[in-house]
């Protein structure tokens, strides 16, 4: 997730046949709840530490990077972007210790739709 103000500086648009495929895949993931659910559930369960029932909000960025990999994208969240994702994850977690699967899936849906 890249802040709009940083898009020009950090993102390079590449014309490639796979760009259309990626957009179609993301659109499909948003329109078919089971697609996004499977991806979110997969990375959520992998990102949990042994014995945890919720994903700590500070680990949400790591899990989102894993979700991006499922779509064939390499995503590394750092600096202000990492902090923005953490703030968003904490807002989804509310007063809980972390994100349950439904909360993480909602976070994923919001991030993918941007």
């Amino acid at each position: 997730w890249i802040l709009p103000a940083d898009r020009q500086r950090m993102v390079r648009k590449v014309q490639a046949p796979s760009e259309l495929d990626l957009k179609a895949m993301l659109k499909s993931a948003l329109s078919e709840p089971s697609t996004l659910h499977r991806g979110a559930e997969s990375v959520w369960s992998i990102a949990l530490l042994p014995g945890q029932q919720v994903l700590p909000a500070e680990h949400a960025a790591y899990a989102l990077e894993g979700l991006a990999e499922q779509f064939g994208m390499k995503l590394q969240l750092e600096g202000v972007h990492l902090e923005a994702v953490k703030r968003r994850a904490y807002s989804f977690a509310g007063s809980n210790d972390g994100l349950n699967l439904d909360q993480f899936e909602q976070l994923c849906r919001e991030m993918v739709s941007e």
Side-chain angles (χ1 to χ4, degrees):
W1 183 67
I2 297 176
L3 298 174
D6 294 328
R7 251 185 220 139
Q8 292 294 339
R9 184 174 58 84
M10 299 186 73
V11 176
R12 177 175 55 106
K13 186 167 181 136
V14 176
Q15 296 296 334
S18 62
E19 182 180 331
L20 296 175
D21 295 340
L22 177 60
K23 287 182 180 181
M25 199 179 344
L26 293 174
K27 186 176 180 180
S28 172
L30 289 172
S31 65
E32 296 175 23
S34 63
T35 302
L36 187 61
H37 175 76
R38 281 192 312 272
E41 183 178 35
S42 174
V43 296
W44 179 81
S45 62
I46 290 170
L48 290 177
L49 295 175
Q52 286 183 324
Q53 300 299 313
V54 294
L55 177 68
E58 63 268 9
H59 295 170
Y62 164 75
L64 286 168
E65 290 171 346
L67 181 67
E69 286 182 19
Q70 291 193 358
F71 291 104
M73 298 179 349
K74 178 72 172 162
L75 178 66
Q76 290 182 314
L77 296 164
E78 302 174 332
V80 295
H81 307 294
L82 176 60
E83 293 308 314
V85 169
K86 284 182 180 180
R87 280 192 305 272
R88 234 177 193 172
Y90 280 111
S91 72
F92 272 90
S95 62
N96 299 328
D97 291 335
L99 301 164
N100 63 32
L101 177 56
D102 290 336
Q103 291 167 325
F104 179 68
E105 187 174 342
Q106 289 173 2
L107 175 64
C108 291
R109 181 171 307 285
E110 192 174 287
M111 300 300 280
V112 168
S113 68
E114 293 179 359

